Amino acid sequence: MRIIKTIFGLGLLLSVLSCQEQVDYSDAITDGSYLNNAQNRITEVIIHDIFSPPVAARIYSYSSLAAYEVAASVDPNYVSLLGQLNGSEKVTFTPSEKVYPPLASLAAYYYVGTGLIFSEDMMNEHRDAVYQELKEKGIPEDVFEASIAYGKEVGDVIKAYSSKDNYHQSRSFPKFTVTGEIGTWEPTPPAYMEAIEPHWNKIRTFVLDSAAQFKPLAPPPFSDQPGSEFYKVAKEVYDAAVNAGEEEQNIALFWDCNPYKMNVKGHVMFAEKKITPGGHWMSIAGIASKAAGKDWKGTAETFSLTGIALNEAFISCWDEKYRSNLIRPETYINQYIDEEWVPILQTPPFPEHTSGHSVASSAAGYTLGKLFGDEFHLVDSSEVAYGLPVREYDSFSQAYQEAAISRFYGGIHYMPAIDYGVSQGLAIGEFIWDRIHTKPDQVAQAN
């Protein structure tokens, strides 16, 4: 009887194990929703840690690159960006048969992203909850461990690549010196913060030949004389903000994306944490990927190319900002037109020319237009989490043009900074699209 029970027990165990082995987990991750959720968490941490717009773009770009490289290593329809990007070397990754690629891609994103932020616990908490959910979908432990390990393997290569972009060295570079020279930038109210990232043009680019490759047109020569070209563009900002209707104000607020906004109540000043411009466009990339029915690989591709465009845009824009070192409209208007005037939006802490929103938005919008077609109905819910309504666009160009003009409506940029910034961003986006490729046929044509 004992022998029979033992045999029965072994049979039952083998039957259970057999059932476990036959669990189909192939559909545990199909679309880009898990990757999109991971990106949303990165955005929350970026807001919490108050990273500047250029630094935020760097975080998005490397995290997304890691996720994409996993996709490129397992699907011949995609090619690696390593070896194409400045300072990178071609790497051949060989996943084992146990690796579940979409999980490995997600793991690579978490691994690299967590290494680029301060509040690692926030990211780890999110990751662990997602991993538990995926385990409950039937992914075997050995497959899970192999996938995480492969994501880390790819992530380590991206981490090593990121460590050589001069970012860490730039943390010890000297602060920006306000000269007080007429027509140059000076800190603005209410916090009078020091200028951020004055040395960002020293960060290694992914694709651009140099930070100064797409140097925009210069602003009009400074003048405080009524009737001068500079006075006219400043008065134009003043009039637009004073006469702004409800729609103009809504546009300005929707695209504010100022992580440094300070509120003052009596003697108390406190920060209002907001999404960065890059975070807004990475959110749009996720929205577009979902609307287009992209799978996890297509979503990773979209995130990576958009992140790279944003990164290059901020390097190029910041290069010009600290070259021209131009006075902000708020300062000029208070000194020469109306000392009581306050812009609709709070002026961010860096020089005026060109508009960061204009450069970054047009570069990202151009990239998304090439990926999905420019005429793409976009339901932009990026700001809903921050108390703002949805806005809809019939094309990516309509969205980036609105993002650019929002800075004029908000009273924080002259029109030349916006017009020249859009041209600068489009040139950057076009250059990137022509220089690097994610499809084998594109690479063949380029060669």
Side-chain angles (χ1 to χ4, degrees), residues 11 13 58 158 226 261 281 288 307 328 395 436:
L13 177 61
R58 178 179 182 269
I158 303 305
K261 187 176 186 300
W281 278 97
R328 282 280 187 170
S395 65
I436 64 172

Side-chain angles (χ1 to χ4, degrees), residues 262-283:
M262 301 296 292
N263 295 305
V264 180
K265 290 187 177 180
H267 298 290
V268 178
M269 182 180 295
F270 59 95
E272 179 179 340
K273 297 182 178 181
K274 292 189 174 187
I275 195 172
T276 64
H280 193 139
W281 278 97
M282 290 301 290
S283 174

Side-chain angles (χ1 to χ4, degrees), residues 362-380:
S362 54
Y366 177 91
T367 301
L368 291 168
K370 298 299 285 187
L371 285 167
F372 297 98
D374 183 54
E375 293 185 0
F376 186 98
H377 185 70
L378 175 65
V379 181
D380 186 0

Side-chain angles (χ1 to χ4, degrees), residues 51-90:
F51 284 111
S52 69
V55 177
R58 178 179 182 269
I59 294 170
Y60 288 120
S61 61
Y62 284 116
S63 304
S64 301
L65 177 61
Y68 172 75
E69 286 301 316
V70 172
S73 74
V74 300
D75 189 335
N77 293 310
Y78 295 93
V79 294
S80 172
L81 289 171
L82 295 177
Q84 298 186 63
L85 302 176
N86 296 338
S88 70
E89 296 180 359
K90 180 70 176 176

Side-chain angles (χ1 to χ4, degrees), residues 11-234:
L12 181 62
L13 177 61
L14 290 173
S15 176
V16 171
L17 290 174
S18 175
C19 290
Q20 288 178 339
E21 291 171 359
Q22 294 176 5
V23 170
D24 182 8
Y25 57 87
S26 60
D27 289 339
I29 302 175
T30 54
D31 61 16
S33 59
Y34 280 101
L35 187 58
N36 197 31
N37 289 339
Q39 177 181 266
N40 290 339
R41 185 60 164 186
I42 278 278
T43 295
E44 291 174 3
V45 177
I46 286 172
I47 293 170
H48 179 272
D49 290 346
I50 318 181
F51 284 111
S52 69
V55 177
R58 178 179 182 269
I59 294 170
Y60 288 120
S61 61
Y62 284 116
S63 304
S64 301
L65 177 61
Y68 172 75
E69 286 301 316
V70 172
S73 74
V74 300
D75 189 335
N77 293 310
Y78 295 93
V79 294
S80 172
L81 289 171
L82 295 177
Q84 298 186 63
L85 302 176
N86 296 338
S88 70
E89 296 180 359
K90 180 70 176 176
V91 178
T92 300
F93 297 108
T94 307
S96 72
E97 293 182 356
K98 288 186 176 181
V99 169
Y100 181 47
L103 173 56
S105 176
L106 183 63
Y109 187 95
Y110 277 118
Y111 179 63
V112 173
T114 304
L116 298 172
I117 57 175
F118 298 142
S119 301
E120 295 182 2
D121 289 347
M122 289 179 65
M123 205 67 198
N124 290 336
E125 179 184 9
H126 190 271
R127 177 203 64 195
D128 292 346
V130 168
Y131 284 178
Q132 182 59 39
E133 179 181 321
L134 290 171
K135 287 179 179 179
E136 292 172 0
K137 287 188 173 185
I139 301 177
E141 189 63 32
D142 58 341
V143 171
F144 209 95
E145 291 179 0
S147 303
I148 301 302
Y150 185 58
K152 183 178 183 299
E153 177 186 343
V154 175
D156 279 332
V157 172
I158 303 305
K159 275 190 171 185
Y161 176 52
S162 72
S163 69
K164 298 176 182 178
D165 70 357
N166 213 34
Y167 172 75
H168 295 292
Q169 291 85 339
S170 71
R171 301 306 86 190
S172 60
F173 289 172
K175 295 180 179 181
F176 181 73
T177 300
V178 178
T179 64
E181 183 180 346
I182 188 170
T184 61
W185 180 84
E186 59 186 75
T188 51
Y192 297 93
M193 296 177 62
E194 62 186 30
I196 66 159
E197 302 299 347
H199 305 285
W200 200 251
N201 64 347
K202 297 179 177 65
I203 301 298
R204 179 194 61 204
T205 57
F206 282 119
V207 187
L208 301 187
D209 296 335
S210 71
Q213 182 177 359
F214 292 101
K215 181 180 177 182
L217 294 173
F222 176 83
S223 174
D224 59 4
Q225 296 301 307
S228 68
E229 181 62 23
F230 200 93
Y231 189 95
K232 288 179 181 178
V233 298

